[in-house]
Amino acid sequence: MPLDLFNVGDPIADTKAPMDVPIAERWSSRRFRARLVNPANRRKMTVIVVGTGLAGGSAAATLGEAGYKVKSFWYQDSPRRAHSVAAQGGINAAKNYRNDGDSVHRLFYDTVKGGDFRSRENNVHRLAEVSTNIIDQCVAQGVPFAREYGGLLDNRSFGGAQVSRTFYARGQTGQQLLYGAYQALERQIAAGNVEQHARTEMLDLIVVDGRARGIVARDLVTGEISTHFADAVVLATGGYGNVFYLSTNAKGSNTTAIWRAHKRGAYFANPCYTQIHPTCIPVSGDYQSKLTLMSESLRNDGRVWVPKERGDTRDPREIPEDERDYYLERIYPSFGNLVPRDIASRQAKNVCDEGRGVGPNGLGVYLDFADAIQRLGLSAVEAKYGNLFDMYNRITGENAYETPMRIYPAVHYTMGGLWVDYDLQSTIPGMFVIGEANFSDHGANRLGASALMQGLADGYFVLPNTINDYLADGPFEKVDESHPAAAEALQGVQDQVQKLLSINGTRTPASFHRELGKLMWDLCGMERSEESLRKALDRIPEIRQEFWSNVKVSGDWSSFNPTLEHAGRVADFIELAELMCIDALHRAESCGGHFRAESQTPEGEALRDDENFAYVAAWEWTPESAPPVLHREALEYEYVHLAQRSYK
């Protein structure tokens, strides 16, 4: 790898997990050894929480309940509009209600294996442990999980598992879980423990004497740019999938908070680990600005297939059974349609590349419920998935009860994120990162129904225990807007806003975003190669230069200006895209969602290189004139043995 692309720095390690006890005791041991803050002292300390999705909403509510003064920031008009509301299929927990062999250890093993052995054992085992508490917490809040006839909580299966451990609320699980966290948050707002800042976007991190002490934020309605201070800062701002422009993420989802923190000293881990979800409604035209997810839960009862012959354009209902290829069931008989997302996505791409794809542009496969309707009855299928079928009908005009759905992979989630230790603290002391914004739990591929599990685990149970150890050193010296570090951060944000407004070019931020997204999808998407990544790394600096010389931002800074918001986010996406490609190029192996064309088995499966790449790549920001610095965190496995993944 040419040294002009990056430099190699010192190794990095997580020193917070207690390695002197067995893995099943490490979380309880860490909680006991961590220092506490007594209730009287908690009232003297302030914590900023940015984001109100499942991770941020639950964290702000729990910290407020504990007695801390919390400042909560979100850019939507209501916390309920956080993108967690769009999650559909369910949430994993090792309750073993089905008595089908599940356990904390099995959930731990499935998650490490599903992530293609590129995640930390300690963090994943803790997640599996805490999962059982989450369900009890949410039931107590009144979350209406689906129940069996006798009144017990129901479960269904998700990809990468042979047990049923996924709790769900029809196809609206994220919405119902978010409403539970929202109610808890609103209770603390009403009690005066949480100060709310709606329609406010974080644009920089304030670092004083090496510690995170506040943020610079812009009021998206009035345009006012202001500073806010605390003893600790928590980022819960989600993932960066919208770097691809077309994704299942909400249009407002962005990387700005974590990217600006990265530029202040927080290492960015594994940015090339992005998840392509196999069941999304296919792209239908150039006019689209986002894509729509069809829940992975549909693969419980739906069967995925394509015609055996190329170019077969018959109505799917007219294609006989013996002329259909149920390719996932054929290739992976043990798991069938419930293989992990990265595998299902690549196989969909493969059959479409062979010319057997369906739909107007040949980029689609069928998800067929005819067998399920015959076996279970129409009313049972409707009870499970009715809102998803209705959504599909409104978007495509097709009735999936009568004709198979057409689906194709799309960008959905990012496993990469800011590097954190076992306490969820970044490389900047006092800045904690939770939920999808960090990298910690999913390795190179997230299993379905594990995002909601991680978000609520971090917010309700992990962060409230670990942040105490840091805050036990507080309260820290008072900081206000007169501090040089605060003044410098504020001025930097104001300068960037003015610069974006002053360029007055000919291209909109959306046009740059669309171009960047297509480039990333084509060259750093479902499949990457050295050739494609080098091509991307040649073009991205040109896009960045043109953006800063030719972008057109209408309006002004002192009022509601969505174009200005978008421009700032696109500027960050461009910089992140370059780091993603550098990370993907340096990792000359295939693992999970990172599939290098040069590194695959004879059967076309991802081929890892454990000897050279069994590590977390934690990237340090350097000024634009210098390449980023790579810090490696070695991944060591005591309880799960490294092996080639097999779901056959």
Side-chain angles (χ1 to χ4, degrees):
M1 187 66 58
L3 290 179
D4 60 337
L5 280 178
F6 66 91
N7 295 320
V8 178
D10 295 332
I12 190 172
D14 169 34
T15 60
K16 299 292 180 59
M19 302 300 292
D20 58 334
V21 296
I23 195 167
E25 299 174 17
R26 287 174 188 166
W27 175 228
S28 59
S29 178
R30 177 57 187 150
R31 293 203 313 271
F32 178 74
R33 297 179 191 183
R35 295 170 297 169
L36 300 176
V37 180
N38 76 54
N41 285 339
R42 289 178 211 155
R43 293 192 291 270
K44 302 174 185 176
M45 286 186 259
T46 302
V47 180
I48 285 175
V49 181
V50 185
T52 57
L54 288 180
S58 60
T62 307
L63 293 172
E65 185 79 41
Y68 291 109
K69 292 186 290 184
V70 179
K71 297 180 180 179
S72 179
F73 292 80
W74 62 89
Y75 66 75
Q76 300 92 347
D77 57 350
S78 166
R80 291 179 299 173
R81 293 190 183 277
H83 188 55
S84 298
V85 78
Q88 297 170 354
I91 178 171
N92 288 330
K95 286 287 199 180
N96 195 31
Y97 283 173
R98 287 290 184 91
N99 197 27
D100 55 1
D102 201 12
S103 65
V104 166
H105 188 81
R106 188 175 295 279
L107 176 52
F108 159 64
Y109 174 81
D110 286 347
T111 304
V112 173
K113 177 184 175 182
D116 214 352
F117 304 92
R118 288 295 178 262
S119 55
R120 279 197 202 129
E121 279 193 333
N122 292 327
N123 291 60
V124 176
H125 196 280
R126 175 177 64 190
L127 178 64
E129 285 181 68
V130 171
S131 71
T132 60
N133 299 335
I134 297 170
I135 303 305
D136 297 338
Q137 168 88 2
C138 294
V139 169
Q141 290 176 333
V143 172
F145 286 122
R147 294 180 180 267
E148 296 176 335
Y149 179 77
L152 299 177
L153 295 179
D154 196 12
N155 294 113
R156 57 189 177 198
S157 299
F158 255 63
Q162 291 180 305
V163 298
S164 296
R165 63 163 66 102
T166 304
F167 296 79
Y168 65 98
R170 222 177 170 202
Q172 301 164 310
T173 314
Q175 180 194 66
Q176 298 305 316
L177 292 172
L178 184 62
Y179 286 0
Y182 167 73
Q183 289 171 167
L185 176 61
E186 286 297 310
R187 177 175 179 273
Q188 293 306 311
I189 291 173
N193 298 327
V194 176
E195 177 182 302
Q196 58 181 330
H197 295 267
R199 303 292 289 138
T200 305
E201 182 174 25
M202 172 184 163
L203 295 180
D204 206 352
L205 181 74
I206 298 172
V207 180
V208 177
D209 297 329
R211 296 179 185 266
R213 295 301 310 276
I215 65 172
V216 179
R218 180 173 180 269
D219 185 311
L220 299 182
V221 177
T222 67
E224 179 186 3
I225 300 172
S226 56
T227 52
H228 305 266
F229 303 94
D231 295 285
V233 175
V234 179
L235 299 188
T237 53
Y240 49 91
N242 275 349
V243 69
F244 291 92
Y245 186 71
L246 287 179
S247 82
T248 65
N249 291 182
K251 285 299 293 176
S253 297
N254 64 82
T255 190
T256 291
I258 60 173
W259 188 252
R260 306 282 172 96
H262 172 57
K263 295 173 77 169
R264 287 290 179 183
Y267 291 1
F268 207 119
N270 302 331
C272 77
Y273 288 170
T274 54
Q275 179 166 88
I276 313 297
H277 198 295
T279 52
C280 302
I281 297 178
V283 175
S284 59
D286 293 338
Y287 56 84
Q288 279 185 268
S289 60
K290 79 175 301 294
L291 298 174
T292 303
L293 171 72
M294 287 285 103
S295 171
E296 180 169 318
S297 63
L298 294 169
R299 287 196 278 144
N300 269 276
D301 294 306
R303 301 179 69 192
V304 179
W305 65 276
V306 292
K308 288 184 177 179
E309 298 298 324
R310 298 181 181 181
D312 191 336
T313 58
R314 286 179 291 175
D315 185 304
R317 294 166 292 187
E318 297 176 358
I319 300 177
E321 195 73 12
D322 61 356
E323 296 180 28
R324 300 179 178 189
D325 181 12
Y326 294 92
Y327 58 90
L328 292 178
E329 298 173 27
R330 170 174 55 83
I331 302 171
Y332 308 101
S334 292
F335 282 75
N337 295 298
L338 288 175
V339 293
R341 291 172 175 178
D342 60 315
I343 292 174
S345 293
R346 282 197 296 274
Q347 292 299 345
K349 179 180 184 299
N350 289 343
V351 295
C352 290
D353 289 348
E354 292 170 4
R356 296 193 288 145
V358 301
N361 55 11
L363 294 178
V365 300
Y366 289 127
L367 182 60
D368 196 337
F369 285 84
D371 286 354
I373 292 172
Q374 184 177 18
R375 183 179 76 254
L376 303 172
L378 179 63
S379 60
V381 172
E382 188 175 7
K384 281 186 175 182
Y385 310 115
N387 67 302
L388 300 172
F389 279 65
D390 291 345
M391 186 189 309
Y392 183 84
N393 177 257
R394 286 196 298 270
I395 293 173
T396 66
E398 299 173 6
N399 185 344
Y401 294 111
E402 298 176 356
T403 188
M405 288 183 178
R406 286 180 295 108
I407 58 170
Y408 192 71
V411 174
H412 177 61
Y413 188 89
T414 52
M415 288 74 67
L418 294 185
W419 185 93
V420 292
D421 62 17
Y422 193 63
D423 284 358
L424 303 183
Q425 186 170 209
S426 71
T427 49
I428 301 175
M431 192 185 82
F432 295 77
V433 190
I434 60 177
E436 191 180 353
N438 74 32
F439 88 103
S440 68
D441 291 343
H442 305 296
N445 175 66
R446 177 177 67 75
L447 292 183
S450 288
L452 307 187
M453 175 174 63
Q454 185 208 351
L456 292 180
D458 287 356
Y460 281 135
F461 299 107
V462 180
L463 177 77
N465 281 288
T466 61
I467 199 171
N468 292 328
D469 188 65
Y470 174 79
L471 291 173
D473 289 329
F476 302 105
E477 180 183 354
K478 182 175 174 57
V479 177
D480 60 26
E481 62 274 6
S482 65
H483 193 284
E488 181 269 332
L490 179 64
Q491 188 63 51
V493 169
Q494 292 172 336
D495 289 347
Q496 186 189 57
V497 168
Q498 292 293 350
K499 183 175 181 180
L500 288 169
L501 289 165
S502 67
I503 296 170
N504 198 29
T506 61
R507 291 186 60 183
T508 64
S511 73
F512 283 103
H513 195 179
R514 187 184 292 272
E515 179 184 358
L516 177 71
K518 186 175 188 310
L519 178 143
M520 290 296 288
W521 176 253
D522 291 343
L523 305 180
C524 189
M526 227 183 316
E527 181 176 298
R528 301 95 182 257
S529 67
E530 180 175 354
E531 179 184 2
S532 72
L533 292 166
R534 290 191 181 280
K535 186 176 179 181
L537 287 169
D538 286 340
R539 177 58 184 149
I540 291 172
E542 296 173 352
I543 294 175
R544 181 172 61 241
Q545 182 178 2
E546 184 176 356
F547 176 87
W548 285 107
S549 62
N550 195 34
V551 71
K552 172 74 172 181
V553 180
S554 55
D556 56 44
W557 68 269
S558 59
S559 61
F560 179 64
N561 191 340
T563 306
L564 177 59
E565 296 169 33
H566 195 192
R569 296 167 186 171
V570 173
D572 295 328
F573 278 136
I574 293 171
E575 293 179 347
L576 170 62
E578 186 169 30
L579 183 62
M580 289 173 63
C581 291
I582 291 173
D583 187 40
L585 182 60
H586 112 276
R587 189 172 285 277
E589 66 160 354
S590 293
C591 55
H594 169 64
F595 190 78
R596 285 286 297 266
E598 307 93 335
S599 183
Q600 53 185 302
T601 67
E603 296 80 23
E605 304 288 356
L607 180 62
R608 297 195 320 270
D609 180 356
D610 295 332
E611 182 178 350
N612 295 304
F613 293 102
Y615 61 78
V616 174
W619 296 92
E620 178 185 359
W621 169 265
T622 53
E624 293 182 17
S625 59
V629 177
L630 170 65
H631 301 270
R632 297 185 177 96
E633 179 198 340
L635 290 171
E636 299 176 358
Y637 294 92
E638 298 177 82
Y639 296 88
V640 176
H641 298 295
L642 286 167
Q644 177 68 30
R645 278 193 313 173
S646 175
Y647 291 93
K648 296 185 177 181

